[in-house]
């Protein structure tokens, strides 16, 4: 079965009711835009790209070698489809990423909440959020992320093939830079941790997700693996880039990089009890040096629970160290505040 047919079947199958409030890639619509472009150009590659190729005398830009293949050409724009194609795709990518993160956050909030909040939430959702329904929602969210990510990659690859360009590939890089790549989302890591945490409590969850999500915390480089398909396997590092240890009390910056809370607070020059929201706007990610990534940081609560369950001694040691550092910082802060008030 071709992907277009599989994607249409996914959208209109037994999950249609679940997906009706979800945004998705308009794969069929975008494919028609590319088909009209190809038809308008006589069934071949983009006419603009072919004309530019001819003007260069068949020479690939930047390579200095003659080639008869249009695949070497980079078509900067295509008046036949660019007006709708990339603007529509960017809008869809933004809506899909927002929809996915909000749904995962809502699902995980019920699982992580404790005390009175947990009791209230469980009572409020008792008729809608039993364990069976949670399993179904996790499965549908994982499938939602993978199907839309594959649809995005397929349509961009098709764009590049029609136009003999790399603009589709560049657009995908731009999506990653703008943090709209679903398969790189920290919320997918949280969903994976949720599935692994449930493995010990539910045989049904284990049977459904053990082949998709797994983690290796025994090696020097802690990792989580996610099998999207037979040809696509992803690996996420769970090592803090600052202390070079397995992340503890992990936070993901909006650029997607994971750090221990204590480490990243130190890097942003804020105290642990203040939290990352207090980081100055000019603070940069220690890895990619991007600015403004602290305000929307995500506490990876499910991943922290996974580490607590799987690495009990390590987690206990780090917990003691973080608390000691937080007490020390709090004492220093209030000492300085007292001296400031007393004019000492």
């Amino acid at each position: 079965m071709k992907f277009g047919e599989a994607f249409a079947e996914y959208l209109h199958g037994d999950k249609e009711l679940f997906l009706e409030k979800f945004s998705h890639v308009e794969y069929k619509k975008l494919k028609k835009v590319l088909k009209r472009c190809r038809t308008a150009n006589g069934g071949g590659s983009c006419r603009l790209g072919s004309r530019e190729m001819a003007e260069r005398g068949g020479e690939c830009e930047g390579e200095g070698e003659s080639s008869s293949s249009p695949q070497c050409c980079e078509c900067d724009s295509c008046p036949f489809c660019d007006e709708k194609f990339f603007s529509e795709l960017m809008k869809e990518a933004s809506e899909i990423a927002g929809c996915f993160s909000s749904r995962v956050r809502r699902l995980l909030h019920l699982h992580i909440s404790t005390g009175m909040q947990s009791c209230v939430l469980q009572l409020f959702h008792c008729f809608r959020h039993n364990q069976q329904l949670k399993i179904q929602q996790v499965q549908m969210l994982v499938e939602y992320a993978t199907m839309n990510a594959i649809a995005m990659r397929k349509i961009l690859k098709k764009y590049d093939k029609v136009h003999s360009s790399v603009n589709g590939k560049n657009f995908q890089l731009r999506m990653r830079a703008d943090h709209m790549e679903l398969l790189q989302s920290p919320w997918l890591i949280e969903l994976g941790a949720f599935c692994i945490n449930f493995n010990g409590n539910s045989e049904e969850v284990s049977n459904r997700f053990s082949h998709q999500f797994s983690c290796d915390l025994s090696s020097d480089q802690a990792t989580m693996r996610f099998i999207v398909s037979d040809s696509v396997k992803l690996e996420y590092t769970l090592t803090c880039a600052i202390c070079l240890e397995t992340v503890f009390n992990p936070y993901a910056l909006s650029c997607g990089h994971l750090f221990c809370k204590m480490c990243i607070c130190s890097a942003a020059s804020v105290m642990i009890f203040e939290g990352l929201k207090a980081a100055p706007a000019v603070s940069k990610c220690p890895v990619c040096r991007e600015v403004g990534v602290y305000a929307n940081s995500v506490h990876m609560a499910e991943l922290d629970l996974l580490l607590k369950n799987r690495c009990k001694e390590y987690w206990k040691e780090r917990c003691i160290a973080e608390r000691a550092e937080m007490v020390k910082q709090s004492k220093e802060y209030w000492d300085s505040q007292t001296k400031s008030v007393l004019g000492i």
Side-chain angles (χ1 to χ4, degrees), residues 147-189:
M147 290 298 286
N148 279 283
I150 293 171
M152 196 78 70
R153 291 184 180 188
K154 291 272 187 184
I155 201 67
L156 288 170
K157 189 175 180 181
K158 187 172 284 292
Y159 176 96
D160 281 348
K161 184 177 180 182
V162 168
H163 298 92
S164 302
S165 78
V166 293
N167 290 341
K169 187 177 181 180
N170 291 338
F171 181 84
Q172 197 165 344
L173 293 174
R174 181 187 166 191
M175 277 176 47
R176 188 168 297 179
D178 291 342
H179 322 304
M180 291 188 289
E181 174 67 66
L182 280 183
L183 297 183
Q184 300 299 324
S185 170
W187 289 110
L188 190 58
I189 298 177

Side-chain angles (χ1 to χ4, degrees), residues 135-303:
I135 295 169
Q136 290 175 355
Q137 287 185 336
V138 170
Q139 185 179 25
M140 287 187 283
L141 284 167
V142 170
E143 193 173 11
Y144 174 75
T146 53
M147 290 298 286
N148 279 283
I150 293 171
M152 196 78 70
R153 291 184 180 188
K154 291 272 187 184
I155 201 67
L156 288 170
K157 189 175 180 181
K158 187 172 284 292
Y159 176 96
D160 281 348
K161 184 177 180 182
V162 168
H163 298 92
S164 302
S165 78
V166 293
N167 290 341
K169 187 177 181 180
N170 291 338
F171 181 84
Q172 197 165 344
L173 293 174
R174 181 187 166 191
M175 277 176 47
R176 188 168 297 179
D178 291 342
H179 322 304
M180 291 188 289
E181 174 67 66
L182 280 183
L183 297 183
Q184 300 299 324
S185 170
W187 289 110
L188 190 58
I189 298 177
E190 275 288 84
L191 208 56
F194 174 87
C195 293
I196 297 171
N197 286 333
F198 252 54
N199 276 353
N201 301 326
S202 171
E203 185 177 346
E204 186 172 358
V205 175
S206 180
N207 291 337
R208 288 194 185 191
F209 298 109
S210 59
H211 70 287
Q212 276 192 301
F213 291 100
S214 62
C215 66
D216 179 8
L217 304 175
S218 58
S219 61
D220 294 336
Q221 185 92 354
T223 55
M224 179 183 290
R225 296 182 183 86
F226 175 36
I227 301 175
V228 180
S229 63
D230 292 337
S231 60
V232 181
K233 297 177 177 65
L234 302 174
E235 190 170 278
Y236 307 99
T237 179
L238 304 180
T239 301
C240 173
I242 296 175
C243 67
L244 303 181
E245 299 281 349
T246 302
V247 287
F248 169 75
N249 197 5
Y251 273 75
L253 304 185
S254 59
C255 57
H257 293 112
L258 291 177
F259 302 94
C260 307
K261 183 182 180 181
M262 185 167 69
C263 295
I264 197 59
C265 282
S266 176
S269 301
V270 295
M271 297 186 184
I272 299 172
F273 67 85
E274 292 179 303
L276 295 182
K277 306 293 182 184
V282 294
S283 299
K284 298 178 180 178
C285 169
V287 175
C288 64
R289 311 305 296 165
E290 186 174 345
V291 177
V293 292
Y294 288 83
N296 296 316
S297 57
V298 176
H299 181 214
M300 309 290 281
E302 283 288 346
L303 180 57

